[in-house]
Amino acid sequence: MKTFTKLMATAALGVATAAHAGELEVTHWWTSGGEAAAVAEFAKAFDATGNKWVDGAIAGSGGTARPIIISRILGGDPMGATQLNHGRQAEELIEAGLMTDLTDLAEEQGWKEIVNPPSLLDACTFEGRIYCVPVNIHSWQWIWLSHDAFAKIDTAVPSNWNEFAAAAPKLEEAGIVPLAMGQQGWQQNGAFGVMTIAIAGLDAWRKVVVDKDADTARGPEYAAVFEAAVDARNFAADSNVQDWNLATNMVITGNAGGQIMGDWAQGEFQVAGQVAGEDYTCLPGLGVNEILDTGGDAFYFPVIDDEETKAAQMALASTLISPEVQVAFNLKKGSLPVRGDIDLSAANDCMQKGLDILKAGGVMPSGDMNLSADTQTQIEDLMAEFWTSDMSAGDAQERYADIIASAD
Amino acid sequence: MSSSKARKPSGLFRNLSAKIASVPMVLTALVVFVGGTAWTVVYSFTSSKLLPKLNFVGLDQYERLWSTRRWLISIENLAIYGFFSMIFTLLIGFTLAALLDRKIRGENVFRTIFLYPFALSFVVTGLAWQWILNPDLGVQNVVRSMGWESFAFNPLNDPDIVIYGILIAGLWQGTGLIMVIMLAGLRGIDEDIWKAARVDGIGTIKTYVRVIIPMMRPVFVTALVLIASGIIKIYDLVVAQTNGGPGIASEVPAKYVINYMFRAQNLAQGFAASTMMLVSVIIILIPWAYLEFGGKKRG
């Protein structure tokens, strides 16, 4: 019901604004402080091209916004452009011919040469045609460690997961929660994904997630992951918070030893005035396997039968990927740029670590690009149950393998 | 009934204007409700993902549904919530109404207080009770600060009892309305019944149980239907209070439907789940309708 009224309200807005030429309504779900500042950079740059950015921010996370966006496109009231995570979310919309083909523009501007890593553009490509503009890279594979917490137990800040696991009992004795973990499926699922890469390694992960090989999911590499996940569950037993930023706050205040969370967490450390390397440490790939996934956000352009709107869409597409806009946007957002050819010397310690890994080619495609939303939801449900119950590693592994076996 | 047989030819045209006037509503009901339902059921046998497509896969979606742990937990939660909600709402609602009906002082004040929670949406109710049941802010903290240090009451973070935490909030919100309906029913009982009972020397409680409640049958049916529909569609309360957590311990069927239709982009799976919800409603409704309407003809 709520969604419906929102829908009606946005639909009414859309009708009212569609009349002017060169105006584009852009929907997205970037509404927190840092995110809104980053979007403003897009709007400023787009307005400078003589067009007008009509902001259609949808409050709530992607889970709330995506259904609204998709229903609007399906319902025949498309917006000018919209944020989506690239990957398989828009696959069927593209198949149904509802998304604008950007291939000509991409060839003209040579996106193939400038977008790094190339997998980002691959995720926008469907049957050889390009349908979206990647704008940033977010990676999950980070653990954030509190220097305060480890100072309290007179232990050096760990440099990898094994050292962290060894120090965990001491942290517990000192009344510190070893691992902060928000009690929400996507966070638990994300943390599990990070541990998979760190412990099972990239090859096993690729076999399971890309090739959907259930036998590997039943195998010894994944058994080790589930054992480690049981450890992590015990470390996080006293972490009673829900939202990820509250969990990050436990690390900031030294009430928790560490948190496995994506690079968006560093925005929280920045807001709290903490300095990377002095107050907190970030370890990409849990310090074991320095590989980052390359999920992130992209913009799609629904098909609108109006020449001026089309021209504005193309103008926006080339604005989003231009070097100046990429720098301005990503510095505010805390994410990595999609172009390898720009200067980001203003970035902090953790972002530099990420950039170095990107340059060295330590990248992998994100889960979004390989698993359908359906399969991901099933895995999230399993993880939510696993992290809050005393399910054994073996049971969890068996059920995980079953989901992989039936994945499409 | 018997006379209508003779007039049958003209029956169609009787009250013609009224019948024409009701055509739009009849069409709406047929197209939107019946048509929509049929469409949903048909597509639940397909492999539709984000867009509805007609490639039939038989009962696959249902097989998957009934082997999904989250759906089974949802059903179990709905059963527990439904059972206790039904009993306690009726019990508390009727008791409050009977107490108010004893011509007490300040009846208006109490009635307003009891009915007030109903004016709040489930989202507000859920959030308020999330805070009340939060161990660091709510009941547990208050009792501990009064000196009972070992007191523990933390239902929302315990997977085994989280559904009772939601039940408390649901009862708090819903009993007021049932109380008002019961009170209206009690007011409809003729004063002479009470006088007659008193003359016969029947006790107050016994009069309620043996005489008044049987006389209030239509009121109870109304209350039952209201409570039952509230149980089946429970969604926003859970979303606001626990969002299905901890883990998936407080999931409910309606939430499964929404999640699989929109977040998981698997329409057919969501349709299968909503069809199962419809079937369960029908299973409950048919015996009841049979007793209610079939019984009357015999009587």
Side-chain angles (χ1 to χ4, degrees), chain B residues 156-219:
Chain B
L156 294 190
N157 286 317
D158 183 344
D160 295 331
I161 56 170
V162 61
I163 193 67
Y164 298 99
I166 293 171
L167 179 68
I168 293 173
L171 287 178
W172 178 80
Q173 208 260 0
T175 39
L177 177 74
I178 301 304
M179 177 203 74
V180 170
I181 291 172
M182 295 286 180
L183 192 56
L186 286 171
R187 290 286 146 85
I189 303 283
D190 201 327
E191 268 301 299
D192 293 340
I193 303 283
W194 280 106
K195 285 179 190 156
R198 215 165 299 146
V199 169
D200 287 342
I202 306 172
T204 312
I205 293 177
K206 204 172 177 190
T207 315
Y208 270 121
V209 176
R210 288 292 174 81
V211 182
I212 306 294
I213 291 182
M215 288 179 74
M216 283 170 62
R217 187 187 155 93
V219 176

Side-chain angles (χ1 to χ4, degrees), chain A residues 54-407:
Chain A
V54 180
D55 202 67
I58 301 171
S61 62
T64 318
R66 249 187 320 266
I68 300 177
I69 291 168
I70 289 173
S71 344
R72 271 191 61 185
I73 297 173
L74 288 179
D77 177 34
M79 59 298 284
T82 186
Q83 174 203 2
L84 281 175
N85 298 110
H86 38 212
R88 300 185 56 178
Q89 287 169 355
E91 208 171 70
E92 286 197 53
L93 293 174
I94 295 170
E95 237 176 309
L98 292 167
M99 289 299 186
T100 304
D101 186 344
L102 303 172
T103 315
D104 295 342
L105 183 75
E107 276 169 5
E108 187 187 312
Q109 299 186 342
W111 289 3
K112 271 217 167 78
E113 284 77 52
I114 55 175
V115 172
N116 179 56
S119 63
L120 286 178
L121 206 55
D122 294 345
C124 281
T125 309
F126 184 78
E127 290 178 351
R129 313 292 291 175
I130 293 169
Y131 289 91
C132 67
V133 190
V135 293
N136 62 0
I137 304 170
H138 272 307
S139 50
W140 251 106
Q141 285 70 21
W142 300 85
I143 183 166
W144 310 86
L145 301 167
S146 162
H147 284 204
D148 269 1
F150 288 97
K152 264 183 223 162
I153 58 165
D154 290 325
T155 307
V157 177
S159 62
N160 62 47
W161 173 256
N162 296 331
E163 286 179 37
F164 176 80
K170 263 183 139 181
L171 285 171
E172 242 168 3
E173 270 170 39
I176 298 168
V177 179
L179 188 68
M181 171 69 70
Q183 306 290 328
Q184 288 170 347
W186 68 273
Q187 297 177 47
Q188 296 154 341
N189 188 27
F192 176 78
V194 174
M195 295 171 74
T196 314
I197 295 295
I199 293 163
L202 194 55
D203 291 336
W205 180 87
R206 208 183 282 279
K207 266 191 199 143
V208 170
V209 175
V210 182
D211 304 334
K212 278 111 193 155
D213 176 13
D215 290 336
T216 312
R218 288 196 178 89
E221 290 104 333
Y222 265 66
V225 177
F226 278 96
E227 293 295 341
V230 169
D231 286 346
R233 182 172 72 190
N234 295 335
F235 298 158
D238 292 327
S239 165
N240 263 335
V241 292
Q242 296 284 327
D243 292 315
W244 67 268
N245 48 340
L246 297 180
T248 309
N249 198 47
M250 288 171 72
V251 180
I252 291 173
T253 54
N255 290 324
Q259 181 192 17
I260 299 175
M261 184 45 64
D263 56 7
W264 47 91
Q266 75 178 312
E268 297 295 308
F269 288 100
Q270 258 168 23
V271 170
Q274 297 208 326
V275 181
E278 286 174 30
D279 303 304
Y280 68 97
T281 291
C282 52
L283 300 175
L286 303 185
V288 186
N289 260 333
E290 292 207 347
I291 297 169
L292 298 182
D293 73 3
T294 48
D297 303 294
F299 275 83
Y300 286 81
F301 299 87
V303 172
I304 294 178
D305 204 14
D306 175 73
E307 281 310 315
E308 276 179 88
T309 313
K310 265 187 195 155
Q313 285 180 329
M314 292 305 146
L316 179 58
S318 48
T319 306
L320 293 176
I321 204 165
S322 68
E324 312 80 53
V325 175
Q326 277 290 310
V327 172
F329 172 79
N330 284 306
L331 281 180
K332 291 240 163 93
K333 183 88 163 58
S335 50
L336 300 175
V338 295
R339 304 177 62 129
D341 58 348
I342 51 177
D343 177 38
L344 260 190
S345 47
N348 72 10
D349 188 34
C350 283
M351 268 174 96
Q352 296 292 3
K353 273 191 199 175
L355 283 172
D356 288 345
I357 294 173
L358 280 193
K359 277 214 184 90
V363 292
M364 54 181 246
S366 84
D368 273 354
M369 298 176 190
N370 292 297
L371 297 174
S372 67
D374 188 24
T375 310
Q376 287 197 58
T377 307
Q378 283 177 284
I379 296 175
E380 256 178 49
D381 287 348
L382 170 64
M383 285 300 146
E385 199 188 346
F386 171 76
W387 283 85
T388 50
S389 65
D390 51 3
M391 192 193 294
S392 73
D395 286 354
Q397 191 184 2
E398 190 53 39
R399 280 174 54 188
Y400 182 82
D402 285 345
I403 294 174
I404 292 298
S406 68

Side-chain angles (χ1 to χ4, degrees), chain A residues 63 66-67 70 74 88-89 92-93 95-96 240 242 372-374 377-378 380-381 384-385 388 399 408, chain B residues 49-51 53 64 68-70 73 123 130 154 157 159 242 246-248 256 259-260 262-266:
Chain A
R66 249 187 320 266
I70 289 173
L74 288 179
R88 300 185 56 178
Q89 287 169 355
E92 286 197 53
L93 293 174
E95 237 176 309
N240 263 335
Q242 296 284 327
S372 67
D374 188 24
T377 307
Q378 283 177 284
E380 256 178 49
D381 287 348
E385 199 188 346
T388 50
R399 280 174 54 188
D408 47 7
Chain B
K49 289 285 186 183
L50 177 61
L51 302 174
K53 283 181 197 145
R64 174 173 154 189
T68 303
R69 185 101 182 92
R70 177 169 162 188
I73 290 178
V123 174
Q130 189 188 24
N154 187 9
N157 286 317
T242 64
I248 52 172
Y256 185 94
N259 266 188
Y260 272 85
F262 296 112
R263 202 162 62 96
Q265 301 177 353
N266 189 342

